Amino acid sequence: MPSDPTIRPGSGARLGAVWDGAGTNFALFSAHAEKVELCLFNDLGTREIARIPLAENTHQVWHGYLPDVRPGQLYGYRVHGPYAPEAGHRFNPHKLLLDPYARAHRGELKWHDALFGYKVGHKREDLSFDRRDSARMMPKCVVTPDAATWGEDVRPRTPWSRTVIYEAHVGGLTARAPHVDAPLRGTFEGLADPATIQYLKNLGVTAIELLPIHAFHDDRHLLEKGLVNWWGYNTIGFFAPATRYLVQPAALDEFRVMVRRLHDAGIEVILDVVYNHTAEGNHLGPTLSFRGIDNASYYLLGDDPRYCFDTTGTGNTLNLENSNVMQMVMDSLRYWVEDAHVDGFRFDLATSLARRRDDFDPQAPFLTAVHQDPVLSQVKLIAEPWDTGAGGYQVGNFPPGWAEWNDRYRDTVRSFWKGDPGKAPAVADCLLGSAQTFEHDGRRSWTSINFITAHDGFTLADLVSYNDKHNGANGEENNDGHSHNLSWNHGVEGPTDDPEISALRDRQRRNLMATLTLSQGTPMILMGDENGRSQDGNNNAYCQPGEMNWLDWDADDDMAEFLRGLLAVRRAKPILTAERFLHATDDNPEHRFVTWHRLAGGAMGTDEWQDGERRVMALAYHGRDDETLFLAMNASAEERDVHLPEGRWRRLICTRDGIASPEGFGDPVEGVALLGARALLLLEAMQ
């Protein structure tokens, strides 16, 4: 309790709880509220010690200043107004609400029917009204100071053309890491351990993309089944880190230390962020924050305002058409860049952020706001270019400055190495940055975020080991997850002791990873694909908290060494990271181009691309200073002879033998090279 409980007017200029060294200013946006109460709690968060009305309302911001309220103070809000779901309003002052701008939460959500604004099970459903106090079940917000000085932190600022992304989960990366002390495993501190960072650096990745670290909770239906929301796409606080990744409650410096150490190693930090929806679900969801503060402002509502307008498949969609909600998203993004020094963002279901209600618009207010922002326009911006609404699939249609997840690349490359017919033209486009999709409006080849696997779907090991998904552990009778996986078990479903099948699976993993690292665009590698991580055929492991989602630091697998070699080749050969799209022409102003070859020698003719049974491809890269590479890919079951262009060639990559080296290996090759069945070969012309 502050020594002076008298509240002063304060200011509505800066939202959230802002400590100025003497006291704290509280400010909360709500356009339709009739009264806002600030609730202060004891140090344990178990008892409400003060309830103070915020009497000032300036431009729809309720605010007040409390002298002597210091960092560490726990608080929440109660907001009064009409409870009229049929009009879009769901105010209920009996429900304690989280501050959308809170930079830290204390405690965990305890599921109870009192968390809902209506009486669960009532015949009138959400039109009923629940008067139980939810404070006992709610986490509390924490007053925090602004970030201290960062000292000598230097952002790596890796050019897009040199970027290699490693998609990882904070908890899964170090949950079983032997070099991390047990209490620190699965936390920001565990990721910040020098040995963890050295592992990433040794692989050759330049950026780590973290699955959501914003505050989120575990869904009630998952907990009832003994599961959790492992991935974290269930945000309830856009400024606060998830408490499960902190060692000390509200210790924000743990995140900053992690960023600083990664930067020192030359590794950028990209956050996977979820600004398209929140954890409050549909009209039957709980009242935890936004819904109780101002449902009609924070969420897009349907023609019948009782219901949400949902383009995310989660029950609600955040209303970026409201300028105050837009401000919250922009303030959150700038906070993570300026105060936490992150280097970029991957936007979940980004199409929902770029809609004008029913339609996607590349000039939507959010995209325009980011483009003109002097801070955000300078960091890496990655769109997941789809959502579940009408016209939601927008790959290639985001504006200049944005990179995009390219699921067409994923499916095409998977299908080619699986041996499906008719894939030669499409995989040729993939190798050259998917120019047919992305080469417009001055966009560069790095725009395409190329991936074979991601958190959502099979791991690389499972992709070559299972024909079908095996998601029974999720408790949804195997009805969840994608069924169109373009996977191949190579003869046996799941684990096998057959040495021939195991060897072929390993070669296919190398083929897929080599194709990824040799393609123009930005490669993204899934955590654990470098050492054979399996999810036992589960392609939707969002709710699995155990070893299925953990990196096995003791795995005995040669893939990590092969990947290190692949990335070393990529770094050493400039033409593989050319920013401009490469084409089969010699009129490129940078004198960089490619030539497609027949295996029997000579350039391919246009009509030859129409051969639906073509499963072999050969490509020569022509760069500056006589840099010439020759790539051959054979997705057929028969080995083939490849007639090379004139000269002597050294092998750089051979997936049959499992070797990748920028210096080359083996004896020089002239005339004809043997290309193994289901194998890839990269050679370099010798000067």
Side-chain angles (χ1 to χ4, degrees):
M1 186 74 176
S3 59
D4 179 4
T6 303
I7 192 166
R8 301 174 186 175
S11 168
R14 186 177 171 190
L15 294 167
V18 181
W19 181 63
D20 64 5
T24 302
N25 191 85
F26 294 87
L28 180 76
F29 159 72
S30 180
H32 299 98
E34 296 171 353
K35 179 182 178 181
V36 173
E37 294 176 309
L38 171 67
C39 303
L40 304 182
F41 290 82
N42 66 357
D43 291 345
L44 298 177
T46 56
R47 182 168 56 88
E48 187 176 327
I49 59 176
R51 188 177 298 187
I52 307 165
L54 297 182
E56 300 292 332
N57 181 353
T58 306
H59 305 310
Q60 302 180 336
V61 175
W62 300 76
H63 55 89
Y65 179 88
L66 281 176
D68 297 333
V69 166
R70 299 176 180 177
Q73 175 66 58
L74 304 186
Y75 74 99
Y77 287 106
R78 298 180 189 274
V79 181
H80 300 250
Y83 187 83
E86 65 280 3
H89 300 306
R90 296 178 179 271
F91 295 99
N92 188 333
H94 304 287
K95 310 306 169 185
L96 187 74
L97 305 173
L98 295 168
D99 180 359
Y101 275 73
R103 298 183 181 185
H105 294 171
R106 179 79 57 83
E108 297 295 332
L109 188 75
K110 301 178 179 65
W111 278 106
H112 190 279
D113 287 351
L115 292 169
F116 295 78
Y118 63 95
K119 294 180 179 178
V120 175
H122 194 281
K123 63 180 180 180
R124 299 187 70 227
E125 295 185 323
D126 59 307
L127 298 180
S128 62
F129 188 74
D130 189 280
R131 298 181 181 277
R132 286 173 292 183
D133 191 340
S134 67
R136 182 169 55 88
M137 301 84 180
M138 285 289 293
K140 310 302 185 292
C141 302
V142 187
V143 176
T144 62
D146 286 339
T149 177
W150 274 86
E152 300 299 322
D153 181 56
V154 178
R155 298 176 184 271
R157 300 191 184 279
T158 307
W160 264 117
S161 61
R162 308 285 290 183
T163 297
V164 178
I165 298 172
Y166 186 83
E167 189 195 33
H169 184 280
V170 172
L173 184 59
T174 64
R176 64 185 301 176
H179 59 271
V180 176
D181 292 341
L184 307 184
R185 291 174 185 165
T187 68
F188 298 129
E189 293 269 27
L191 203 163
D193 187 281
T196 306
I197 294 174
Q198 191 61 47
Y199 174 82
L200 298 172
K201 189 172 180 65
N202 288 346
L203 278 180
V205 300
T206 70
I208 184 168
E209 181 177 304
L210 299 176
L211 268 65
I213 61 91
H214 288 169
F216 66 95
H217 65 69
D218 295 313
D219 309 69
R220 191 178 197 177
H221 73 277
L222 291 177
L223 292 176
E224 289 172 350
K225 293 189 290 187
L227 303 173
V228 301
N229 190 317
W230 180 255
W231 287 349
Y233 292 90
N234 205 29
T235 305
I236 196 60
F238 296 110
F239 293 78
T243 57
R244 65 192 67 191
Y245 303 138
L246 296 169
V247 177
Q248 298 295 327
L252 304 182
D253 282 342
E254 294 176 13
F255 181 86
R256 296 185 179 110
V257 167
M258 177 198 73
V259 173
R260 172 67 181 270
R261 291 183 180 174
L262 285 162
H263 283 179
D264 288 345
I267 297 173
E268 295 183 308
V269 178
I270 297 172
L271 298 185
D272 194 335
V273 289
V274 188
Y275 294 106
N276 57 80
H277 74 278
T278 79
E280 292 185 305
N282 64 14
H283 64 292
L284 297 177
T287 297
L288 309 175
S289 179
F290 313 95
R291 173 163 289 141
I293 294 171
D294 192 346
N295 184 71
S297 291
Y298 278 100
Y299 294 117
L300 282 174
L301 303 181
D303 294 335
D304 181 346
R306 177 183 174 186
Y307 304 102
C308 292
F309 183 84
D310 180 17
T311 62
T312 68
T314 65
N316 67 62
T317 303
L318 211 58
N319 181 17
L320 268 66
E321 294 178 4
N322 183 288
S323 61
N324 293 87
V325 180
M326 173 76 81
Q327 178 188 346
M328 178 190 71
V329 172
M330 298 296 288
D331 286 348
S332 169
L333 291 168
R334 279 190 295 267
Y335 170 72
W336 289 102
V337 174
E338 295 181 318
D339 285 43
H341 280 208
V342 304
D343 304 283
F345 304 95
R346 178 265 189 188
F347 292 84
D348 179 65
L349 300 182
T351 297
S352 285
L353 306 178
R355 283 183 176 273
R356 294 183 186 268
R357 193 74 177 185
D358 294 304
D359 301 315
F360 171 82
D361 181 359
Q363 300 300 320
F366 172 72
L367 299 181
T368 300
V370 170
H371 180 73
Q372 62 80 43
D373 189 280
V375 173
L376 301 179
S377 61
Q378 301 306 306
V379 302
K380 288 182 166 69
L381 303 170
I382 303 171
E384 183 185 36
W386 50 78
D387 66 11
T388 64
Y393 189 77
Q394 294 294 332
V395 174
N397 294 330
F398 275 71
W402 285 77
E404 302 178 36
W405 270 30
N406 187 355
D407 64 331
R408 291 174 183 163
Y409 178 96
R410 175 198 64 195
D411 293 350
T412 298
V413 174
R414 285 184 178 189
S415 187
F416 174 78
W417 283 112
K418 182 169 169 279
D420 292 339
K423 295 301 175 181
V427 82
D429 185 48
C430 287
L431 284 168
L432 301 182
S434 300
Q436 294 182 28
T437 301
F438 295 107
E439 192 178 19
H440 59 82
D441 297 319
R443 303 179 86 181
R444 299 298 180 89
S445 59
W446 52 257
T447 299
S448 177
I449 302 294
N450 299 330
F451 62 101
I452 304 296
T453 56
H455 66 276
D456 187 2
F458 279 142
T459 67
L460 186 62
D462 288 353
L463 184 66
V464 299
S465 302
Y466 294 89
N467 282 350
D468 303 302
K469 63 183 181 180
H470 296 264
N471 297 358
N474 296 353
E476 300 179 42
E477 299 182 348
N478 206 39
N479 291 319
D480 61 307
H482 297 290
S483 296
H484 183 64
N485 295 291
L486 297 168
S487 59
W488 179 25
N489 65 18
H490 296 85
V492 175
E493 188 75 354
T496 180
D497 293 328
D498 187 312
E500 291 188 7
I501 292 177
S502 295
L504 180 54
R505 288 176 175 177
D506 288 345
R507 192 185 321 148
Q508 290 283 59
R509 286 196 296 145
R510 293 193 293 267
N511 288 332
L512 290 161
M513 195 66 80
T515 305
L516 175 65
T517 57
L518 294 176
S519 297
Q520 277 194 283
T522 303
M524 185 183 77
I525 298 160
L526 175 64
M527 179 190 81
D529 277 356
E530 74 276 13
N531 69 0
R533 184 174 73 88
S534 171
Q535 294 174 172
D536 302 326
N538 191 322
N539 75 349
N540 189 35
Y542 77 102
C543 58
Q544 298 296 329
E547 294 187 7
M548 182 183 295
N549 272 310
W550 297 351
L551 180 67
D552 183 359
W553 288 81
D554 297 321
D556 183 15
D557 195 289
D558 295 331
M559 189 63 170
E561 181 179 355
F562 184 67
L563 175 59
R564 284 192 287 270
L566 291 175
L567 293 178
V569 171
R570 180 181 173 89
R571 288 193 303 273
K573 310 305 173 185
I575 198 166
L576 296 177
T577 55
E579 285 202 6
R580 298 184 184 276
F581 290 92
L582 301 177
H583 292 289
T585 175
D586 60 2
D587 60 1
N588 187 294
E590 291 192 338
H591 304 292
R592 295 180 175 192
F593 61 97
V594 299
T595 306
W596 295 100
H597 285 257
R598 301 187 185 94
L599 292 194
M604 279 184 60
T606 304
D607 58 326
E608 295 177 85
W609 287 103
Q610 308 309 314
D611 180 2
E613 297 305 312
R614 178 175 295 280
R615 292 179 176 82
V616 182
M617 307 188 64
L619 168 65
Y621 298 83
H622 307 279
R624 295 194 191 102
D625 302 322
D626 295 324
E627 177 192 15
T628 304
L629 303 177
F630 190 86
L631 172 66
M633 301 163 60
N634 180 11
S636 75
E638 301 174 353
E639 62 181 26
R640 305 290 292 273
D641 285 335
V642 181
H643 291 257
L644 302 174
E646 290 186 11
R648 302 173 72 231
W649 299 80
R650 66 168 64 90
R651 288 177 291 173
L652 303 181
I653 298 171
C654 178
T655 59
R656 183 192 62 184
D657 298 333
I659 302 175
S661 169
E663 290 79 29
F665 58 90
D667 296 329
V669 182
E670 292 185 72
V672 178
L674 179 64
L675 178 59
R678 297 196 174 94
L680 176 151
L681 186 64
L682 180 70
L683 305 100
E684 179 180 41
M686 300 176 66
Q687 302 298 322

